[in-house]
Amino acid sequence: MAGSKALLSVEGLSKSFPGVRALHDVHLEAHAGEIQALMGENGAGKSTLIKLLTGVYRPDAGTLRLDGASIRPTSPRDAEALGISTVHQEISLIPHLSIADNIMLGRQPRRFGLIDQRAVRAKARQALARLALDLDVTRSVAALPTALQQMVAIARALAIDARILILDEPTSSLDEAEAQRLFDVMRRLKAQGLAILFVTHFLDQVYAVSDRITVLRNGCLVGQYASSALPRLELVQAMLGVKLGAPDRPAPGGRTGPGVEASTAEPVLAARGLERKGVIGPIDLALRAGEVVGLAGLLGSGRSEAARMLFGIEPADRGELRVDGRELELKTPRHAIRAGLSYCPEDRKVDGIVPNLSVRENLILALQASQGALRVIPRREQERLVEHYIRALSIKTPSPETPIKLLSGGNQQKVLLARWMAMQPRVMLLDEPTRGVDIGAKLEIEGLVKSLSERGVATVLISSELEEIARNCSRVVVLRDRKQQSELAGDSVTAESIIQAIAQQKEAPPDAREDL
């Protein structure tokens, strides 16, 4: 594509919001007949870029050019009129309308002032034909499997004579076979001359279908690369903003837990082949008392999905889970709590705190729920418990009765940790416990993880900061593309080795390689 003229050019695009620089001086090109993967971790600027391309936001600076002509879409409809169409991660179809009505919604041909249903069905069939699909267009979308709903969403995007197709995480709800079918469709559209921007977190899928890779980080362009010329390890480094040099070593006393060689006791928690179809692949995990085990991987690798499965939020549909040697089927978080598990979610503001309740009410929430509505914890006992954890965890609050929403992020996080510590758990599942807190609070929370380990609590630590994983964990399970990739232990637990494990490509079996 080096010598061809760009269909879409992005020149110096910038966008800021109050207190946040979302995108800064980004340059990139998209060519007709090309699939370009758009890669980056949380906060990289991918969503902002898409919203600028589709007219949801207006840029603060920079220029968009289509076929060399400057454009400035002011709405998604305006962008569609220019030939830029998007299929979002959440399938935005109306389930009880027909396939034809969904594809042509808002742009139905009319005859004598009325919708021409025959023409609607004909145009819907034409859009599906571009995807080599022959469906009954009068059928309700609700009756279709997820993969076909995704295809209908793409057909809807193509029905406007799209020249640039943006696919935002289109495989997030598809299994491997369905994803391969989508890739066949993408290759077909590429051959028809479309420029496709493919947003994904799955490394294997990037290399399976893309011609070029664009990497964003912290709102800035890291670079555009030919897929064939960018090794996986270099892609991971570009996304994370690290360079591999000397192996990282934990600070003295940093790692917690008994270590692999010292722990021969029966696991507190043992998972074997635990999986939820379409969400997270088989997980094998053994946690012993006092051990801190990390779950590491890029965004979308399945870290949070694994934690939610272990806590019964998204229950496993196959595999075995044992707690203290007893086989358990965790169908709900209530079952997990009874078994001695606790869980601090990734997004404390959405899934953790109840913002308008006080520090006291938030802290005793899990303990009160375990007692039942009819066995209210006496107020004096609540106050004693809350005062104990405020002192023990150095929670900075004017009063136990202060609404938790008025506390800093680090202190909110400590209240959530205290909530579960009050339950005396056997296992703690901590998903990004230090995200969005200052350096002081981060060190305090890491200290709490160590103190839990010293008390014999087994901990699963999820963090996107690999140095944090390396400092605190005696073992690390590495995930990629929603599957367990490998496990590191002891001195091999370094940020460098984790990056290498994320990027490592498993060799195909001999018979499969012969077919290539």
Side-chain angles (χ1 to χ4, degrees), residues 52-84:
L52 289 169
L53 293 176
T54 55
V56 176
Y57 296 153
R58 296 190 183 187
D60 298 332
T63 304
L64 298 176
R65 296 186 185 279
L66 186 64
D67 262 344
S70 178
I71 61 169
R72 200 173 182 87
T74 57
S75 68
R77 184 179 290 275
D78 191 16
E80 287 185 351
L82 293 166
I84 303 172

Side-chain angles (χ1 to χ4, degrees), residues 140-296:
S140 167
V141 161
L144 300 178
T146 302
L148 281 180
Q149 289 188 25
Q150 188 71 271
M151 299 299 182
V152 171
I154 294 174
R156 171 176 166 76
L158 296 175
I160 60 155
D161 295 326
R163 304 175 67 194
I164 298 167
L165 180 63
I166 301 171
L167 299 177
D168 188 3
E169 293 282 359
T171 62
S172 59
S173 56
L174 305 183
D175 62 27
E176 287 188 25
E178 292 168 339
Q180 289 303 321
R181 184 174 184 180
L182 174 63
F183 294 161
D184 289 341
V185 166
M186 290 169 65
R187 294 184 186 104
R188 176 183 293 272
L189 295 175
K190 168 187 166 181
Q192 294 173 12
L194 263 75
I196 299 175
L197 285 178
F198 175 41
V199 182
T200 184
H201 297 295
F202 296 157
L203 295 187
D204 288 346
Q205 294 181 3
V206 167
Y207 285 98
V209 76
S210 68
D211 302 298
R212 203 148 43 131
I213 300 171
T214 294
V215 180
L216 298 176
R217 187 176 69 249
N218 297 330
C220 298
L221 176 69
V222 178
Q224 284 194 291
Y225 314 88
S227 301
S228 58
L230 182 66
R232 291 167 186 253
L233 185 58
E234 291 183 19
L235 171 58
V236 173
Q237 291 180 81
M239 291 172 64
L240 297 179
V242 296
K243 289 290 184 184
L244 296 188
D248 299 309
R249 297 295 177 191
R255 282 190 190 151
T256 53
V260 198
E261 61 282 352
S263 184
T264 56
E266 183 175 3
V268 176
L269 179 145
R272 178 176 296 177
L274 205 67
E275 68 175 302
R276 182 175 175 86
K277 187 177 180 183
V279 176
I280 180 70
I283 298 293
D284 293 315
L285 178 66
L287 275 175
R288 294 172 176 84
E291 192 173 26
V292 181
V293 175
L295 290 185

Side-chain angles (χ1 to χ4, degrees), residues 256-259 268 288-292 426 452-459:
T256 53
V268 176
R288 294 172 176 84
E291 192 173 26
V292 181
R426 301 296 313 283
L452 288 169
S453 170
E454 291 168 348
R455 292 192 213 175
V457 177
T459 303

Side-chain angles (χ1 to χ4, degrees), residues 90-106 108 137-144 149-150 152-153 156:
E90 299 297 329
I91 299 173
S92 53
L93 300 175
I94 300 176
H96 300 297
L97 291 183
S98 70
I99 294 172
D101 287 336
N102 268 282
I103 290 174
M104 299 305 299
L105 189 64
Q108 299 98 326
V137 296
T138 64
R139 189 179 178 190
S140 167
V141 161
L144 300 178
Q149 289 188 25
Q150 188 71 271
V152 171
R156 171 176 166 76

